[in-house]
Amino acid sequence: MVKAGISLKGTQVETLKKTRVSTQPGARRRKTFDDKRQFILNTALSVFSQFGFHGTTMEQIASSADISKTNLFYYFKSKEALYLTILENILNDWLAPIAGFDEVDEPKTALENYIRLKLELSRDQPEASRLFCLEIIQGAPILKNYLKGELKNIIDEKSKVIERWISQEKIKPIDPVQLIFFIWSTTQHYADFNVQIKAITGKDLSNKKFFEETCSAIQRLIIDGLC
Amino acid sequence: MVKAGISLKGTQVETLKKTRVSTQPGARRRKTFDDKRQFILNTALSVFSQFGFHGTTMEQIASSADISKTNLFYYFKSKEALYLTILENILNDWLAPIAGFDEVDEPKTALENYIRLKLELSRDQPEASRLFCLEIIQGAPILKNYLKGELKNIIDEKSKVIERWISQEKIKPIDPVQLIFFIWSTTQHYADFNVQIKAITGKDLSNKKFFEETCSAIQRLIIDGLC
DNA sequence: GTCTATATATAGATAGAC
DNA sequence: GTCTATCTATATATAGAC
């Protein structure tokens, strides 16, 4: 599992200011500070996820968050620090869905649940998905160590679950890693290529009917192909 | 089908210099000009596809192509013109695989062929795939009209082929557009998320064995689920 | 905590010699 | 067709008043 305070390749991103508890002196001031900081993070994620790191200016983020550029630098000491904090924050959400993969015993249920969770993530956090995608496309300059370390470990672990299903003849033989890639690609596609999907179908995952149709189409393809 | 000279939303990208034929006076000079231009385009694609439009500098492209920045501006009058020319060029390759979709009569063969062609594209033109992905993620500022027009038309056309298969009970019922999205997402994933795949498996599509395993895994999942 | 300058660097693009 | 020098705009970041 990923620790709460995952740190990206030794980069110092100050997290000190988050830890203070609300019963201590200065709590109220701290709270507004943190609230505003969090608001900026959300706004910045939205901008970064569309234009990328270099395509985004601090002025753009500031004006989206309705503050001055100078003021933005008061909350985050540099553009890079802001970007790193965002990446750090979304990484945990990113990994959450796969966690519950081994507790469930029946492959059909486990796969159905996982597919649905991933698709919900594409629906509810499309910007995080796109930022992650941008980072990977650019060669994962920041997340490379994470991919080779933490992520690889989780995949190795979950692969064993799938292999157990195969040896118990609960599902047909398939490379477990390929199966995971298959689920990732089909579900994330609806966030990352949202514009293309909307251009062709006129809908996206925010449409409830479209979400359910997509979910069961992916579930059916994978499960009918495997069980 | 896409015409050879597709033009992106009215933007003037000079194509005049390409047309001259080699039997005319000045042919040799023209040829070296075009060769060098083409070399720059290939180099620039490589850089743009990694760092995006804003993340790439003309200096970077120039030095990758072993020419001076000033010289680069002699071949392309602006960064934008260079970028547009590249997008224009890759779009045709991008659409080619789906063209042969209706001639073949059996769904199993047609789907197998299409999946293989798309995966070959991810193997042979990963940079084009990533540039396309970057463009879409950023809201397709340049390709939006193309997506809603040309691409949508092709998808509508191919959807009818799939629907005919369904009504003839050659495959199980499925939303044709969703089926196409599944093929796109699974195959393009191996280009766009190449770094992640390499981090986890240690391999990529340039590995012949890995390519074949991936190809048949995707083919099997989709076809076993449908036929 | 927010503002008005301002420092500093770098990127796109052009002029003009050769 | 390639080079040196340079213009111009914009982006990150800081200093210091309030």
Side-chain angles (χ1 to χ4, degrees):
Chain A
M1 278 295 292
V2 176
K3 311 298 183 306
I6 182 176
S7 183
L8 301 174
K9 59 170 214 169
T11 322
Q12 259 87 36
V13 180
E14 329 121 79
T15 48
L16 310 165
K17 291 170 180 170
K18 291 177 190 165
T19 50
R20 221 142 157 201
V21 187
S22 54
T23 48
Q24 291 185 351
R28 177 160 295 131
R29 184 183 298 157
R30 179 63 48 212
K31 187 169 184 312
T32 58
F33 179 91
D34 287 348
D35 283 354
K36 195 150 188 180
R37 219 180 122 98
Q38 191 54 51
F39 180 72
I40 293 171
L41 284 170
N42 292 339
T43 309
L45 164 60
S46 176
V47 186
F48 276 133
S49 73
Q50 182 172 2
F51 302 106
F53 180 78
H54 293 284
T56 300
T57 70
M58 291 297 263
E59 175 58 46
Q60 230 179 319
I61 295 171
S63 104
S64 295
D66 259 309
I67 56 173
S68 70
K69 192 173 66 164
T70 331
N71 200 211
L72 175 56
F73 276 102
Y74 170 76
Y75 285 92
F76 294 90
K77 75 166 197 285
S78 71
K79 186 182 180 184
E80 204 174 331
L82 172 55
Y83 184 77
L84 283 171
T85 308
I86 293 171
L87 258 190
E88 208 172 55
N89 284 352
I90 66 176
L91 218 51
N92 295 316
D93 299 338
W94 203 246
L95 229 46
I98 207 171
F101 204 70
D102 47 351
E103 269 98 45
V104 189
D105 27 20
E106 279 315 298
K108 188 173 184 302
T109 322
L111 289 168
E112 271 177 2
N113 286 343
Y114 183 50
I115 290 166
R116 176 170 285 271
L117 279 172
K118 282 293 285 178
L119 201 64
E120 282 171 354
L121 209 63
S122 286
R123 179 194 61 193
D124 301 332
Q125 315 249 33
E127 291 168 338
S129 179
R130 288 192 280 267
L131 195 71
F132 187 77
C133 185
L134 285 175
E135 163 72 9
I136 302 293
I137 280 191
Q138 295 179 21
I142 298 166
L143 294 184
K144 198 148 208 171
N145 288 334
Y146 157 77
L147 297 179
K148 289 185 184 172
E150 222 146 354
L151 185 61
K152 182 172 171 17
N153 288 343
I154 293 174
I155 298 311
D156 286 348
E157 192 185 305
K158 301 306 172 184
S159 290
K160 283 179 196 153
V161 178
I162 297 171
E163 263 157 12
R164 229 172 289 143
W165 289 339
I166 295 172
S167 69
Q168 293 167 351
E169 292 183 349
K170 286 185 169 178
I171 61 171
K172 293 185 205 166
I174 187 169
D175 185 328
V177 177
Q178 301 272 17
L179 174 58
I180 291 168
F181 289 162
F182 202 91
I183 296 173
W184 285 356
S185 60
T186 47
T187 52
Q188 288 171 203
H189 187 76
Y190 288 83
D192 303 340
F193 285 76
N194 172 53
V195 170
Q196 179 173 269
I197 287 165
K198 206 159 183 179
I200 290 175
T201 67
K203 299 170 224 160
D204 63 21
L205 294 183
S206 67
N207 178 319
K208 216 162 189 172
K209 187 160 169 276
F210 185 72
F211 176 89
E212 289 303 332
E213 282 169 359
T214 303
C215 189
S216 59
I218 298 175
Q219 288 172 334
R220 264 194 44 211
L221 251 185
I222 290 179
I223 286 150
D224 287 8
L226 282 180
C227 303
Chain B
M1 278 294 294
V2 177
K3 311 298 183 305
I6 183 177
S7 184
L8 301 173
K9 61 169 212 169
T11 322
Q12 259 86 37
V13 182
E14 329 122 79
T15 48
L16 309 165
K17 290 172 181 170
K18 291 178 190 165
T19 50
R20 220 143 158 200
V21 188
S22 56
T23 49
Q24 291 183 352
R28 178 162 294 131
R29 184 182 300 156
R30 179 63 49 211
K31 186 167 184 316
T32 57
F33 179 92
D34 287 347
D35 283 355
K36 194 149 189 181
R37 220 180 122 97
Q38 191 54 52
F39 179 73
I40 292 170
L41 284 170
N42 292 339
T43 309
L45 164 60
S46 176
V47 186
F48 275 132
S49 72
Q50 182 172 3
F51 302 106
F53 180 78
H54 293 284
T56 301
T57 69
M58 291 298 263
E59 175 59 46
Q60 230 180 320
I61 296 172
S63 104
S64 295
D66 258 309
I67 57 175
S68 69
K69 191 172 70 162
T70 331
N71 200 211
L72 175 56
F73 275 101
Y74 170 76
Y75 285 93
F76 294 91
K77 74 165 195 288
S78 72
K79 187 184 181 183
E80 204 174 330
L82 172 56
Y83 185 76
L84 283 169
T85 308
I86 293 170
L87 258 191
E88 209 171 53
N89 285 352
I90 66 176
L91 219 51
N92 295 314
D93 299 339
W94 201 247
L95 230 45
I98 206 171
F101 204 70
D102 47 352
E103 270 96 46
V104 188
D105 27 21
E106 280 313 300
K108 189 172 183 301
T109 323
L111 289 168
E112 272 177 3
N113 286 343
Y114 183 50
I115 290 167
R116 175 171 287 271
L117 278 172
K118 282 293 284 179
L119 202 64
E120 282 171 356
L121 209 63
S122 286
R123 180 194 59 194
D124 302 333
Q125 315 251 31
E127 291 169 338
S129 180
R130 288 193 278 267
L131 194 71
F132 187 76
C133 184
L134 286 176
E135 164 71 10
I136 303 293
I137 280 191
Q138 295 178 19
I142 297 166
L143 294 184
K144 198 149 207 170
N145 288 334
Y146 158 77
L147 296 179
K148 289 185 184 173
E150 222 146 355
L151 185 62
K152 182 171 170 19
N153 289 341
I154 294 175
I155 298 310
D156 287 347
E157 192 185 305
K158 301 306 173 184
S159 290
K160 285 179 195 153
V161 178
I162 297 171
E163 263 157 12
R164 230 172 289 142
W165 289 339
I166 295 172
S167 68
Q168 292 169 352
E169 294 182 349
K170 286 184 169 177
I171 61 171
K172 292 185 203 166
I174 188 170
D175 185 329
V177 177
Q178 300 270 22
L179 175 57
I180 292 167
F181 289 162
F182 292 156
I183 296 175
W184 286 355
S185 60
T186 47
T187 54
Q188 288 169 204
H189 188 76
Y190 288 84
D192 304 340
F193 285 75
N194 172 54
V195 169
Q196 179 173 267
I197 288 165
K198 206 158 182 178
I200 291 175
T201 67
K203 300 171 223 160
D204 63 20
L205 294 183
S206 66
N207 178 320
K208 216 163 191 173
K209 187 158 170 277
F210 186 72
F211 176 89
E212 289 303 332
E213 282 168 359
T214 303
C215 188
S216 58
I218 297 174
Q219 288 172 336
R220 263 194 45 209
L221 259 181
I222 288 180
I223 286 152
D224 286 7
L226 282 179
C227 302

